[in-house]
């Protein structure tokens, strides 16, 4: 379907940036991207960018337009455009080209995860997380925001289940929903067994706090931000998926 599309790496990267910026704005609040060129520089304006602007080359925008990936209209002094449905689909195609889901995350967070090792030790947790990660790059991701949170919640529950079964903390931690208490018990048990120094114990305390905050993010994602009264956007889903993977990996390595 996309075999005939020829883009330079910078043009592919620009499309990825545009799609993710568009997804960072609620659909009812979306607006067109604006390309502005001055004597000093050229840039794109859009509320979905973290800094509201993104440096870009006009020729790359025109190329994306010729390929039907963005729809361009010309103003008197600016260029206005939107990502087309074809552009969203090609974005998904680009992400799939990066390989297996764990490889895509490695590329995004600098090869931070050891995929094969994690997959073998925490197979159920990985399967749940893998489903959430795949949804993250789909063209209809907005319909799956809550499901992504739910799958990440199941992933951390299965992860904690493996830890409790392996390290056997002394109290009863059979309730799978008590993920924070279960991981706290395991970390405290292993810290006492290892006779860790002050620095290592401080790190384990911080890691537990990281785990707690990740669980809070997951709950917010699953309930679509209703408690906080804040809408969920794509960046929230990306953060939940990535942080779920990283915190599980770090706890596993710390143990």
């Amino acid at each position: 379907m996309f075999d005939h599309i020829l883009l330079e790496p910078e043009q592919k990267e620009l499309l990825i940036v545009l799609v993710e910026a568009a997804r960072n704005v609620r659909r009812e609040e979306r607006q067109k991207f604006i390309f502005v060129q001055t004597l000093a520089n050229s840039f794109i304006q859009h509320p979905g960018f973290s800094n509201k602007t993104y440096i870009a080359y006009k020729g790359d925008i025109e190329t994306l337009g010729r390929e039907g990936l963005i729809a361009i209209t010309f103003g008197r002094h600016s260029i206005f455009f939107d990502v087309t449905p074809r552009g969203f689909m090609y974005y998904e195609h680009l992400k799939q080209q990066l390989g297996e889901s764990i490889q895509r995350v490695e590329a995004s967070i600098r090869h931070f995860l050891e995929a094969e090792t994690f997959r073998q030790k925490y197979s159920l947790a990985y399967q749940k997380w893998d489903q959430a990660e795949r949804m993250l790059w789909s063209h209809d991701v907005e319909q799956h925001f809550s499901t992504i949170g739910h799958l990440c919640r199941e992933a951390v529950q299965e992860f904690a289940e493996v830890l409790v079964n392996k390290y056997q903390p002394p109290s009863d931690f059979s309730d799978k929903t008590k993920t924070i208490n279960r991981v706290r018990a395991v970390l405290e048990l292993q810290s006492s067994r290892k006779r860790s120094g002050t620095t290592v114990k401080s790190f384990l305390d911080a890691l537990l706090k990281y785990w707690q905050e990740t669980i809070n993010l997951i709950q917010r994602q699953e309930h679509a931000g209703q408690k906080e009264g804040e809408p969920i956007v794509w960046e929230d889903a990306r953060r939940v998926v990535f942080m779920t993977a990283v915190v599980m990996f770090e706890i596993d390595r710390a143990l």
Side-chain angles (χ1 to χ4, degrees), residues 45-58:
Q45 294 178 327
H46 191 269
F49 297 134
S50 59
N51 294 323
K52 308 305 179 186
T53 62
Y54 184 83
I55 302 298
Y57 169 53
K58 182 180 180 181

Side-chain angles (χ1 to χ4, degrees), residues 149-190:
H150 178 73
L151 288 168
C152 286
R153 179 170 65 85
E154 291 185 328
V156 297
Q157 287 179 353
E158 296 297 344
F159 176 77
E161 178 78 359
V162 173
L163 296 184
V164 168
N165 291 336
K166 180 178 180 179
Y167 295 102
Q168 297 290 314
S171 301
D172 179 17
F173 291 98
S174 57
D175 187 348
K176 291 181 69 171
T177 65
K178 305 297 184 181
T179 52
I180 294 176
N181 291 340
R182 297 181 105 197
V183 170
R184 177 188 289 111
V186 171
L187 289 175
E188 290 177 349
L189 177 64
Q190 288 306 101

Side-chain angles (χ1 to χ4, degrees), residues 185-204:
V186 171
L187 289 175
E188 290 177 349
L189 177 64
Q190 288 306 101
S191 177
S192 64
R193 286 176 176 175
K194 290 183 177 182
R195 299 182 182 278
S196 304
T198 303
T199 301
V200 174
K201 287 184 177 179
S202 296
F203 171 72
L204 293 177

Side-chain angles (χ1 to χ4, degrees), residues 111-144:
H111 302 279
F112 195 58
L113 306 177
E114 293 178 349
E116 195 59 36
T117 301
F118 184 84
R119 243 184 271 199
Q120 291 176 356
K121 292 176 69 174
Y122 307 98
S123 58
L124 290 177
Y126 175 79
Q127 290 172 23
K128 296 296 184 181
W129 175 84
D130 180 59
Q131 292 178 51
E133 196 272 347
R134 290 179 183 274
M135 288 182 180
L136 184 65
W137 309 115
S138 64
H139 66 278
D140 57 348
V141 61
E142 290 181 343
Q143 300 177 27
H144 304 298

Side-chain angles (χ1 to χ4, degrees), residues 9-230:
E10 294 81 5
Q11 293 162 351
K12 293 179 181 180
E13 178 62 27
L14 175 59
L15 178 66
I16 290 172
V17 168
L18 295 176
V19 169
E20 294 179 357
R23 287 177 169 175
N24 281 336
V25 180
R26 288 191 297 171
R27 187 169 189 84
E28 62 270 21
E29 297 177 357
R30 285 185 180 173
Q31 54 188 267
K32 290 181 180 292
F33 293 86
I34 304 174
F35 175 77
V36 179
Q37 188 167 21
T38 67
L39 293 176
N41 54 27
S42 56
F43 54 89
I44 303 171
Q45 294 178 327
H46 191 269
F49 297 134
S50 59
N51 294 323
K52 308 305 179 186
T53 62
Y54 184 83
I55 302 298
Y57 169 53
K58 182 180 180 181
D60 290 340
I61 294 174
E62 293 171 337
T63 297
L64 295 182
R66 285 193 296 270
E67 295 291 350
L69 304 174
I70 61 175
I72 298 176
T73 57
F74 293 90
R76 186 172 182 181
H77 301 292
S78 304
I79 296 176
F80 301 86
F81 61 90
D82 272 322
V83 180
T84 64
R86 178 180 173 82
F88 282 103
M89 293 181 66
Y90 188 61
Y91 165 89
E92 185 175 355
H93 170 74
L94 290 176
K95 289 297 182 179
Q96 290 173 347
Q97 277 189 324
L98 293 176
E100 294 299 320
S101 60
I102 198 70
Q103 293 173 332
R104 292 197 294 272
V105 173
E106 285 178 343
S108 301
I109 56 179
R110 301 181 182 182
H111 302 279
F112 195 58
L113 306 177
E114 293 178 349
E116 195 59 36
T117 301
F118 184 84
R119 243 184 271 199
Q120 291 176 356
K121 292 176 69 174
Y122 307 98
S123 58
L124 290 177
Y126 175 79
Q127 290 172 23
K128 296 296 184 181
W129 175 84
D130 180 59
Q131 292 178 51
E133 196 272 347
R134 290 179 183 274
M135 288 182 180
L136 184 65
W137 309 115
S138 64
H139 66 278
D140 57 348
V141 61
E142 290 181 343
Q143 300 177 27
H144 304 298
F145 280 165
S146 292
T147 303
I148 287 172
H150 178 73
L151 288 168
C152 286
R153 179 170 65 85
E154 291 185 328
V156 297
Q157 287 179 353
E158 296 297 344
F159 176 77
E161 178 78 359
V162 173
L163 296 184
V164 168
N165 291 336
K166 180 178 180 179
Y167 295 102
Q168 297 290 314
S171 301
D172 179 17
F173 291 98
S174 57
D175 187 348
K176 291 181 69 171
T177 65
K178 305 297 184 181
T179 52
I180 294 176
N181 291 340
R182 297 181 105 197
V183 170
R184 177 188 289 111
V186 171
L187 289 175
E188 290 177 349
L189 177 64
Q190 288 306 101
S191 177
S192 64
R193 286 176 176 175
K194 290 183 177 182
R195 299 182 182 278
S196 304
T198 303
T199 301
V200 174
K201 287 184 177 179
S202 296
F203 171 72
L204 293 177
D205 290 341
L207 195 54
L208 176 60
K209 180 64 175 176
Y210 185 13
W211 173 260
Q212 292 173 316
E213 293 305 321
T214 301
I215 299 300
N216 291 337
L217 287 175
I218 290 172
Q219 291 176 343
R220 176 176 178 265
Q221 184 71 32
E222 185 173 14
H223 298 292
Q226 294 177 355
K227 180 179 178 180
E228 298 83 1
E230 300 173 350

